[in-house]
């Protein structure tokens, strides 16, 4: 959607005022007003979102840095389920000095209610080791209420990452996927203190504009926290021109509705293209997704049978064991070597598929594949990958 947005923005006039500091470091009045209307219309909040409940910064990275600074002291922990976006580590740790604490599923459904137990286990372990957990960062899940109860039980903050809220798509293969529900749409009465709930959003994903650097924090019931973050927002001041572009886009509902519909259509086509390819090449992936730009694909079988270790073989084990129906896969030195080998072969074949190692994957051999590119570009990449898979299968089969 880059061409469509560039064409749209090129029609806007840049006034002299946009070359100034504007309204200040935490979002112009016009943008916060446009954002509040957008959230009220599209996110179905229980209570209307007001402009004064928003803080705008130069990207969601800056928002995460700010809220970490606000809710955690140096050395405190933030829980996030694996796999997770690689930049979370820098966002949480670099300036605020807090600690990213990845949470392993260990074979449990990462979107199911049983996963709450994994968060609780990790929280108790961390606190026993001296790390105070202050918050969780979680994408939309159908067990959202269970996580809110968990946060209330341990008096921690619930930070909802909703950057893909409007990047929803539907295909015959994911028709049963759980629809997006914003944390704003949940009545928190009896679940969690409302001042512990915060939402992250930005331009990068739904608006295909990660180069414009704009993110927003919604905190409806915690004015002291917002005031604290505003006091240091000067370090993440969004540009006046970016604020103007986003404001104009949010207020143009006919264009916005057309844009979201076309974006959804293209995402569905890309998802179908990629998953058809994976199915044809007998590559498994985590099915049922209906939002975002990627699939989580399982290439472990291409690393060779010698990466599988038995329960009683601990010689090469250096991480967590993950239960599977027929055997136990572990993160072993051999698996890492083979994973690095496979990734290097992809690079040499001019194919870049992001290794799960960059996303705190529990096991080697998992990869994140993006399908949110033009169809002809995706086709070229998949053809290159097809040739590589044939080569690797022949080599692994001969081992």
């Amino acid at each position: 959607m880059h061409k469509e947005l560039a064409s749209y923005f090129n029609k806007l006039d840049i006034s002299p005022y946009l070359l100034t500091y504007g309204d200040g470091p935490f979002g112009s009045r016009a943008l916060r007003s446009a954002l509040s209307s957008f959230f009220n219309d599209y996110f179905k909040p229980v209570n209307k979102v007001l402009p004064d409940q928003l803080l705008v910064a130069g990207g969601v990275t800056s928002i995460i840095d700010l809220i970490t600074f606000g809710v955690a002291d140096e050395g405190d922990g933030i829980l996030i389920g694996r796999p997770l976006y690689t930049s979370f580590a820098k966002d949480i740790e670099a300036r605020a000095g807090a600690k990213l604490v990845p949470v392993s599923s260990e074979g449990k459904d990462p979107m199911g209610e049983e996963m709450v137990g994994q968060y609780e286990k990790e929280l108790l372990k961390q606190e026993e080791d001296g790390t105070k957990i202050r918050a969780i960062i979680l994408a939309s899940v159908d067990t959202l209420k269970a996580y809110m109860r968990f946060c209330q039980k341990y008096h921690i903050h619930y930070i909802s990452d909703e950057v893909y809220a409007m990047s929803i798509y539907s295909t015959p293969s994911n028709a049963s996927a759980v629809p997006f529900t914003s944390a704003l749409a949940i009545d928190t009465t009896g679940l969690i203190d409302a001042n512990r709930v915060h939402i992250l959003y930005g331009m990068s994903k739904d608006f295909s504009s990660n180069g414009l650097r704009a993110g927003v924090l919604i905190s409806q019931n915690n004015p002291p926290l917002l005031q604290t973050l505003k006091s240091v927002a000067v370090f993440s001041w969004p540009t006046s021109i970016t604020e103007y572009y986003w404001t104009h886009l949010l207020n143009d509902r006919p264009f916005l509705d057309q844009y979201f519909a076309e974006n959804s259509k293209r995402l569905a086509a890309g998802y179908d293209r990629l998953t058809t390819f994976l199915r044809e090449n007998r590559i498994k992936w985590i099915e049922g997704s209906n939002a975002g730009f990627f699939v989580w694909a399982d290439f472990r079988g291409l690393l060779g049978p010698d990466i599988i270790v038995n329960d009683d073989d601990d010689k090469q084990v250096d991480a967590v064991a993950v239960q599977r129906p027929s055997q136990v896969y572990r993160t072993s030195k051999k698996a890492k070597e083979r994973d690095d080998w496979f990734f290097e072969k992809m690079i040499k074949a001019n194919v870049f598929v992001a290794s799960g190692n960059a996303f705190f994957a529990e096991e080697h051999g998992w990869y994140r594949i993006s399908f949110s590119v033009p169809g002809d570009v995706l086709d070229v990449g998949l053809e290159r990958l097809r040739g590589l898979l044939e080569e690797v299968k022949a080599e692994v089969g001969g081992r």
Side-chain angles (χ1 to χ4, degrees):
M1 302 297 291
H2 284 155
K3 289 182 179 180
E4 288 78 5
L5 286 170
S7 175
Y8 183 86
F9 291 143
N10 282 335
K11 297 175 184 177
L12 304 182
D13 293 326
I14 303 300
S15 69
Y17 180 73
L18 297 178
L19 304 181
T20 72
Y21 287 125
D23 291 353
F26 49 84
S28 69
R29 289 183 292 272
L31 176 56
R32 285 184 286 118
S33 178
L35 281 166
S36 61
S37 295
F38 171 75
F39 292 130
N40 289 330
D41 290 346
Y42 290 91
F43 284 48
K44 302 177 182 178
V46 173
N47 300 301
K48 281 193 173 183
V49 176
L50 304 177
D52 289 344
Q53 298 168 346
L54 308 180
L55 183 149
V56 180
V60 177
T61 279
S62 295
I63 292 292
I64 296 171
D65 169 63
L66 283 167
I67 195 168
T68 302
F69 172 81
V71 305
D73 292 325
E74 187 172 354
D76 289 345
I78 308 291
L79 298 173
I80 308 181
R82 305 164 78 173
L84 57 94
Y85 183 49
T86 184
S87 290
F88 276 132
K90 293 178 183 177
D91 299 347
I92 290 168
E93 297 175 354
R95 190 174 72 98
K99 175 184 175 184
L100 167 63
V101 180
V103 179
S104 301
S105 65
E106 297 180 314
K108 296 179 175 62
D109 179 2
M111 304 299 285
E113 191 163 345
E114 61 182 356
M115 187 64 190
V116 178
Q118 295 296 108
Y119 280 85
E120 184 168 32
K121 183 171 75 171
E122 189 62 44
L123 179 147
L124 295 174
K125 177 182 180 298
Q126 291 292 325
E127 299 206 340
E128 183 180 345
D129 292 341
T131 298
K132 180 65 178 176
I133 299 299
R134 295 295 186 182
I136 66 171
I137 297 180
L138 195 71
S140 175
V141 293
D142 54 331
T143 53
L144 194 153
K145 292 182 179 180
Y147 284 97
M148 288 185 171
R149 294 189 189 96
F150 163 72
C151 290
Q152 181 67 14
K153 178 179 178 180
Y154 291 100
H155 307 291
I156 64 177
H157 291 265
Y158 181 96
I159 302 172
S160 185
D161 181 355
E162 303 188 4
V163 297
Y164 292 105
M166 302 304 295
S167 295
I168 307 292
Y169 53 88
S170 178
T171 71
S173 64
N174 71 356
S176 61
V178 177
F180 167 73
T181 300
S182 171
L184 294 169
I186 302 297
D187 183 352
T188 59
T189 305
L191 296 174
I192 185 174
D193 295 337
N195 63 354
R196 297 183 185 277
V197 179
H198 320 283
I199 291 88
L200 312 175
Y201 193 66
M203 279 194 86
S204 293
K205 306 301 189 280
D206 285 351
F207 295 89
S208 307
S209 301
N210 53 19
L212 290 179
R213 311 309 305 143
V216 59
L217 172 70
I218 310 167
S219 189
Q220 289 189 288
N221 297 281
N222 202 325
L225 174 64
L226 282 177
Q227 193 59 43
T228 298
L229 303 188
K230 287 177 181 179
S231 71
V232 292
V234 65
F235 300 110
S236 53
W237 199 320
T239 71
S240 296
I241 291 177
T242 292
E243 290 185 326
Y244 172 66
Y245 280 169
W246 204 8
T247 301
H248 202 285
L249 192 58
L250 290 165
N251 287 332
D252 189 346
R253 291 305 169 81
F255 177 83
L256 204 59
D257 289 339
Q258 179 184 0
Y259 166 83
F260 284 141
E262 182 61 26
N263 189 46
S264 177
K265 178 181 175 182
R266 294 185 188 182
L267 287 173
Y271 179 84
D272 267 348
R273 255 189 174 99
L274 174 55
T275 54
T276 297
F277 169 87
L278 294 175
R279 190 178 297 110
E280 290 174 348
N281 288 273
R282 299 183 180 180
I283 301 296
K284 295 182 180 179
W285 71 96
I286 301 299
E287 299 186 44
S289 173
N290 67 339
F293 308 153
F294 323 100
V295 299
W296 192 238
D298 181 3
F299 289 91
R300 290 174 303 165
L302 295 176
L303 304 189
D306 51 351
I307 70 160
I308 302 172
V309 293
N310 298 321
D311 266 331
D312 58 353
D313 182 3
D314 294 325
K315 294 179 181 178
Q316 294 183 330
V317 174
D318 59 13
V320 66
V322 181
Q323 296 293 337
R324 298 297 182 205
S326 58
Q327 60 236 328
V328 176
Y329 287 84
R330 292 180 177 174
T331 302
S332 65
K333 293 178 181 178
K334 186 66 174 179
K336 183 180 186 308
E337 290 172 1
R338 296 292 294 169
D339 201 2
D340 291 344
W341 165 82
F342 182 56
F343 183 70
E344 288 174 7
K345 288 189 77 69
M346 283 198 292
I347 296 299
K348 290 178 180 177
N350 293 318
V351 179
F352 182 80
V353 177
S355 170
N357 297 330
F359 304 101
F360 295 80
E362 293 179 56
E363 301 171 86
H364 293 294
W366 288 88
Y367 284 74
R368 190 189 80 166
I369 309 179
S370 171
F371 56 83
S372 57
V373 295
D376 57 340
V377 174
L378 183 58
D379 287 342
V380 170
L382 293 179
E383 278 307 305
R384 291 178 181 175
L385 184 56
R386 188 191 306 275
L388 175 63
L389 293 178
E390 292 173 356
E391 176 186 335
V392 170
K393 287 176 182 178
E395 186 169 344
V396 171
R399 284 176 174 267

